[in-house]
Amino acid sequence: MDQSLGIGARETCPGWFASAQGRWSSRVASVSVISSRKKHHDIKMEVLLGFTGKDYTIVAASRAAMRGATILKSSDDKTKQLNKHTLMAFTGEAGDTIQFAEYIQANIQLYSMRNDTDLGPPAVASFVRGELARSLRSRKPYTVNLLLGGMDPITKKPHLYWLDYLASCAPLPYAAHGYAQYYCLSILDKHHHPDIDFERGLKILRMCTDELKRRLPIDFKGMMVKVIDKDGIREIEYDDSKQILSA
């Protein structure tokens, strides 16, 4: 379409051009909002790691609460127990993580008290994903990334869900957030399989934490490791004091 034809069409169909211009402006605004959210959402210097085994789920999180290169706390617990068989680990903006995790914990426990039964991990993951999606469409979205691990008390099947701040939700055999996703996913891809026993799972976790210490010049102050199985949720002692030479 040449310039003269365009001017003529604009004069004869002003409503169409105004509508097209409005659609284009709204599309540009939507792209700019998403781009700004991605720009401000940097990878945190924290580690979240999880994987499932034959009859258990392991969730590990770094103990250091960091802001940039500054360590604010060396015994931070980045997990919340939602019910007897479901655990949520979180990372992201400091205020958003605590507020969102406590909100989810309170609602899941309220459901258990009202109905005298616990939600299974798939139902919990669906609820959490719905809350993140609702938040994403508000003026103040939560900037949190989550790992949701659990054991279905009926089927005795372990579950692990990966969720991010854009309300994505995926059931996975292993997952990571933070710097762990750069260095640990290849190890898990090579060594993980669905029927690994608990001892083999701890060896794989050791390989992951050793690789993080070998490749990153960051002290995560150790890892807090929790296991979810048919008996519930428990924290296990995990000695991460071994010195690893740099690559």
Side-chain angles (χ1 to χ4, degrees), residues 75-166:
S75 59
D76 188 34
D77 186 359
K78 300 179 181 65
T79 64
K80 289 287 185 183
Q81 179 175 342
L82 304 183
N83 54 38
K84 294 179 181 178
H85 295 89
T86 309
L87 182 75
M88 184 172 69
F90 48 85
T91 183
E93 294 298 330
D96 288 357
T97 53
I98 297 299
Q99 184 176 357
F100 184 76
E102 290 181 348
Y103 169 75
I104 295 297
Q105 183 186 44
N107 277 273
I108 298 299
Q109 292 179 354
L110 178 62
Y111 180 92
S112 298
M113 289 186 290
R114 282 179 171 176
N115 299 277
D116 198 26
T117 185
D118 290 338
L119 288 172
V124 174
S126 178
F127 172 73
V128 174
R129 191 263 171 194
E131 293 302 315
L132 282 173
R134 188 176 295 107
S135 164
L136 185 66
R137 290 158 177 81
S138 68
R139 292 183 178 272
K140 296 181 179 180
Y142 289 108
T143 308
V144 294
N145 295 316
L146 309 167
L147 290 182
L148 187 70
M151 170 71 74
D152 195 314
I154 299 176
T155 62
K156 308 299 181 185
K157 181 180 178 181
H159 293 269
L160 180 67
Y161 292 88
W162 182 95
L163 300 98
D164 71 351
Y165 72 108
L166 294 176

Side-chain angles (χ1 to χ4, degrees), residues 198-236:
F198 183 66
E199 289 72 19
R200 179 61 178 167
L202 288 181
K203 289 181 181 179
I204 295 176
L205 179 62
R206 176 67 62 187
M207 295 168 64
C208 292
T209 55
D210 287 351
E211 186 69 11
L212 287 171
K213 290 193 291 185
R214 184 179 297 113
R215 301 289 296 277
L216 289 175
I218 301 171
D219 184 8
F220 294 107
K221 300 302 179 183
M223 301 289 286
M224 181 174 293
V225 181
K226 296 188 177 182
V227 180
I228 310 102
D229 56 19
K230 60 182 178 60
D231 298 322
I233 301 171
R234 70 181 190 275
E235 181 180 351
I236 63 173

